[in-house]
Amino acid sequence: MLKIKIVLGIVVFLNLNHAKSAAEERLAEEHRLPRVVTPLPAPKITDLPQFQGEHKESLYWGTYRPQVYLGVRARTPKSLIAGLMWIVVKDSKYHLRHVCKHEDGLSTYGWTKHNGRDFGHQLLVDQGIIFTTAFLKSKEEGSGYGGDWTVRITVQAHKSKWNEEFGRGAQLFFYMADEGANALNLSRENMNILEDSSLVSGSRADIGNWQLHLKSMDDLELHYSGFRTPHFHNLSDLVEENLSSQIRKNARPLLSDSSDDSPNVLVFQVIGGFSFTTDIIFISGTDSESSRVEERVSSLSGTSLSNQLKYKEQAFDEKFDKIFNLEEKVDSESISVGKAAVGNLLGGIGYFYGQSKIAASRIVNLREHVNYISYWPAELYTAVPCRPSFPRGFLWDEGFHQLIIWRWDIHISLDIIGHWLDLMNADGWIPREQILGDEALSRVPEEYVPQHPTDANPPTLFLALSDMINGLKNNEFTAMDKTDISVFLERAFVRLEAWFQWFHTTQSGKQMSSYYWHGRDNSTIYELNPKTLSSGFDDYPRASHPTADERHVDLRCWILLAAHCLHSIEELLDKDTKPGMNYGSTSQLLSDVELLNQMHFDDAYGAYFDFGNHTEKVQLKWKDVEIGHNHTDRQLVRDVLERPVLRLVPHIGYVSLFPFMGKIIPSGSWILEKQLELISNHSLFWTDYGLRSLARTSSLYMKFNSDSEGPYWRGQIWININYRILSALHHYSKENGPYQDRAKAIYKELRSNLIRNIVRNYQETGFLWEQYDQNSGEGKGSHPFTGWTSLVVLIMAEEYGRV
């Protein structure tokens, strides 16, 4: 395997009576860095020519702030940022909306269409007020770097939900802020857009001079307020404080029509009746001789904008139909849900910049304080699982996201994967949760912020890469795209090898070809079963007493996937096998069913299990716990009633099906028949809404893991794993063997159940959900969850590739 050596030698300083060069200073600083926060010494993938030039400029501006209901920024660390807020009245109180929150109680919101590049259409319904937001980019002669963009906001009141609290109309707030601290210039204090559409202007090194305009055919009232602040994650607070002071004066929530000196934030309040439409246009490069500002503003507003948006919507529909080809596979209601799934996944792509906090010590008890050191400043371009709950990058989620995104836009997908792999440190480790910048940091509980460099996360990017390689073999790409993918894989290979080597060495078990997830707390007194956060399955039952003797069957299968993918890349690029790094042999070893069965198969259950130091006789019990000196507190703590022994861990659930998902089991094997029996057993996996994550027969089925942690992967239905199980069923339904027809029948019924339930929930609630209740099918958890739940579109399309 690839061994990356960093020479950390002693630097001898010679007193030559002159200052060191800047290069020497940097080198010395690098040698002082702890290895865990030292980048992998390899060329960055995102520096490839295919990610520069026109590609980079075309993606410069975007809706890259998924944590807010509408936010625009550039893919640069200190960007201009723009965003939308609005006021609703509920129970005679004003409520300001800005950051996506479950507690806001919107009936629905999300990008119903978005192409990931230059167009998006979003619907939001809040207390009977219907908002639509459209985003469009344009690159015209005379525009600055990245071009121009416009946002159209339309407001209507739902007639059936009209009430007096709505007042005379809607109140919107649109803001511009400069993270680079450049001052913004208010165009004028008299906010009369009939006389002049210009609101604010400024200047930046990246795009030159710029202007923001507002155009509308409706009668609007405008107010403004300017702020000077170093913080941008709490803009809502600034607006609320300003409005509160004005309510006391005017009895109306109006901005103060005043500004701090040299403001770097300007907020514009737009008040209109029901209904109204306003176009907010951003024009860059206004200092050039050929800027044609009025012409470009006109092109991005009014009738011209309406026509362009209509064209972009049609183009989205046509591309969706061409890629997923759902017309003959599902009904029109399902197609609409599929479009919304893809639209909000692409519209949720974000850009983040900052430094991860890396735990400096191995403390797994989240209740204890952890000292940390900072990763190097890094950028991340990524999709996100959920805009209100998880509006940031998650490593194991991202591989599932890319199964959809590469089919939609291979270049966006490669760019995202490249950004993730560029986050790799000198050991080959990637932090699993990317909390970059103040906006991201403000949304995460403190105990979950530090990332532990001993902890892994499922390497799902190999899922997407394997899928792409399969697409190459099936000639699904143009000649130019094939070249770009090959060049990408050539550059990425050293990082993929380092990643594999990190897994292979740091997560290996005591027995050859065994692996276990590190990071479980073996001293907890509060958890019924110590969590395995690194596996992605959080509270899924593992051995009751974590030790180095554990063997985790899911991790073994992830390592197999990685080895197989690396071997495929070697074959594709015609690479020679290096000594000690034979991925083909590793893949064969981990595919050895006999060896797998010896380590993980239980003949009595006909199921694959983890192995470890385990007892079933563990419970949570209220006890008096000594806290400090001479003080006790009654707490719910772990009570072990039996000495654990090394054994297979008898919990049937998603982890049990990983060898099946990996298509390791021969199509003629009786073990395959057993897996099909387990899947279709109503007491174990099967429900009318999808396959549950843990069998009802498990002693931990739907059990709380502590006094505050409800069940998460202990019964609920998750779409990413159902998708992988469907993929395996589809595979075995095509393989000649005695169980082919049984696999086909289960596949058809499971696919139908999943689609029907997800579509029904969307129609009833307006959302895709993080998980679904195994008893009622009701959507549960975070929403809109258009991360891996968006895989429903691939289920509809029956697109499984190599997954």
Side-chain angles (χ1 to χ4, degrees), residues 69-127:
Y69 289 114
L70 175 66
V72 179
R73 69 167 295 129
R75 294 203 313 169
T76 191
K78 297 290 185 180
S79 173
L80 270 179
I81 61 174
L84 173 69
M85 305 179 193
W86 70 89
I87 285 178
V88 295
V89 182
K90 184 180 180 183
D91 300 328
S92 301
K93 293 181 180 179
Y94 294 110
H95 298 271
L96 185 68
R97 311 298 201 208
H98 177 215
V99 176
C100 300
K101 296 177 181 176
H102 291 318
E103 52 265 36
D104 286 348
L106 271 67
S107 302
T108 188
Y109 67 94
W111 296 97
T112 55
K113 297 179 182 181
H114 201 297
N115 65 11
R117 287 186 173 270
D118 60 10
F119 160 75
H121 179 274
Q122 184 176 213
L123 173 69
L124 309 99
V125 181
D126 187 8
Q127 302 298 319

Side-chain angles (χ1 to χ4, degrees), residues 564-589:
H564 185 271
C565 183
L566 284 165
H567 181 56
S568 297
I569 295 172
E570 280 185 326
E571 290 183 326
L572 183 73
L573 302 179
D574 200 22
K575 284 182 171 289
D576 294 329
T577 300
K578 300 172 189 174
M581 298 166 65
N582 192 322
Y583 301 112
S585 297
T586 303
S587 179
Q588 284 184 338
L589 175 67

Side-chain angles (χ1 to χ4, degrees), residues 120-406:
H121 179 274
Q122 184 176 213
L123 173 69
L124 309 99
V125 181
D126 187 8
Q127 302 298 319
I129 303 176
I130 303 168
F131 301 88
T132 58
T133 66
F135 173 75
L136 184 77
K137 285 193 323 194
S138 173
K139 178 66 175 172
E140 299 286 340
E141 180 187 348
S143 62
Y145 186 81
D148 309 328
W149 51 262
T150 185
V151 169
R152 169 167 285 180
I153 305 166
T154 301
V155 186
Q156 294 176 298
H158 199 293
K159 292 180 181 179
S160 66
K161 296 186 178 179
W162 173 268
N163 67 67
E164 293 299 322
E165 286 192 336
F166 284 3
R168 289 176 289 178
Q171 302 196 46
L172 308 180
F173 302 83
F174 195 87
Y175 61 85
M176 291 293 290
D178 193 317
E179 292 179 326
N182 298 296
L184 308 183
N185 303 311
L186 187 69
S187 297
R188 65 200 181 289
E189 293 186 5
N190 175 24
M191 293 277 109
N192 186 343
I193 60 168
L194 296 178
E195 296 177 4
D196 184 357
S197 66
S198 177
L199 296 178
V200 58
S201 62
S203 183
R204 287 178 55 93
D206 53 350
I207 60 173
N209 291 354
W210 59 269
Q211 296 176 8
L212 189 74
H213 292 253
L214 187 149
K215 302 279 277 188
S216 179
M217 299 296 291
D218 297 299
D219 183 19
L220 303 178
E221 178 184 351
L222 265 66
H223 298 275
Y224 74 93
S225 191
F227 307 95
R228 184 76 188 174
T229 177
H231 305 295
F232 300 93
H233 64 280
N234 60 346
L235 295 179
S236 309
D237 296 342
L238 295 177
V239 173
E240 286 180 336
E241 289 168 10
N242 191 280
L243 291 173
S244 296
S245 65
Q246 294 303 302
I247 288 175
R248 288 192 289 271
K249 293 179 184 178
N250 307 318
R252 287 181 66 198
L254 302 177
L255 289 177
S256 61
D257 292 324
S258 64
S259 175
D260 297 342
D261 292 337
S262 301
N264 58 348
V265 180
L266 276 169
V267 184
F268 299 92
Q269 183 176 16
V270 182
I271 304 173
F274 295 113
S275 64
F276 74 84
T277 298
T278 183
D279 299 331
I280 299 171
I281 309 101
F282 176 83
I283 303 295
S284 61
T286 57
D287 49 338
S288 73
E289 292 182 6
S290 57
S291 60
R292 303 177 299 110
V293 173
E294 285 189 26
E295 185 180 331
R296 285 155 61 192
V297 169
S298 178
S299 172
L300 290 173
S301 59
T303 303
S304 174
L305 176 59
S306 298
N307 292 335
Q308 291 178 76
L309 291 174
K310 185 176 181 181
Y311 171 79
K312 287 291 186 181
E313 285 202 41
Q314 290 173 344
F316 175 91
D317 289 340
E318 289 170 6
K319 183 172 183 177
F320 183 91
D321 292 343
K322 182 179 179 182
I323 292 171
F324 301 111
N325 193 25
L326 301 185
E327 200 68 43
E328 296 179 3
K329 294 182 177 179
V330 292
D331 58 27
S332 59
E333 288 83 4
S334 298
I335 292 174
S336 295
V337 174
K339 288 179 179 178
V342 172
N344 207 45
L345 173 63
L346 293 167
I349 292 174
Y351 173 90
F352 308 92
Y353 184 84
Q355 294 177 267
S356 291
K357 299 182 187 301
I358 309 302
S361 57
R362 177 67 260 176
I363 296 176
V364 293
N365 185 346
L366 296 178
R367 300 177 186 227
E368 295 183 31
H369 177 73
V370 178
N371 293 321
Y372 66 85
I373 53 179
S374 294
Y375 225 47
W376 62 89
E379 60 181 354
L380 180 62
Y381 172 57
T382 184
V384 303
C386 178
R387 290 169 61 191
S389 301
F390 310 112
R392 53 193 176 275
F394 285 79
L395 182 55
W396 102 286
D397 294 67
E398 199 55 35
F400 290 105
H401 301 162
Q402 294 312 311
L403 293 174
I404 301 168
I405 293 175
W406 83 253

Side-chain angles (χ1 to χ4, degrees), residues 705-751:
N705 201 46
S706 71
D707 60 345
S708 60
E709 295 176 324
Y712 199 47
W713 291 87
R714 294 186 176 177
Q716 296 91 332
I717 296 163
W718 295 80
I719 304 308
N720 60 330
I721 302 302
N722 272 267
Y723 173 74
R724 291 205 69 204
I725 294 167
L726 272 176
S727 175
L729 287 167
H730 188 261
H731 166 79
Y732 286 115
S733 75
K734 305 291 184 185
E735 290 279 304
N736 289 328
Y739 314 113
Q740 183 179 9
D741 290 342
R742 182 71 179 126
K744 184 180 295 184
I746 296 172
Y747 167 79
K748 289 178 67 175
E749 189 173 359
L750 176 58
R751 175 178 174 269

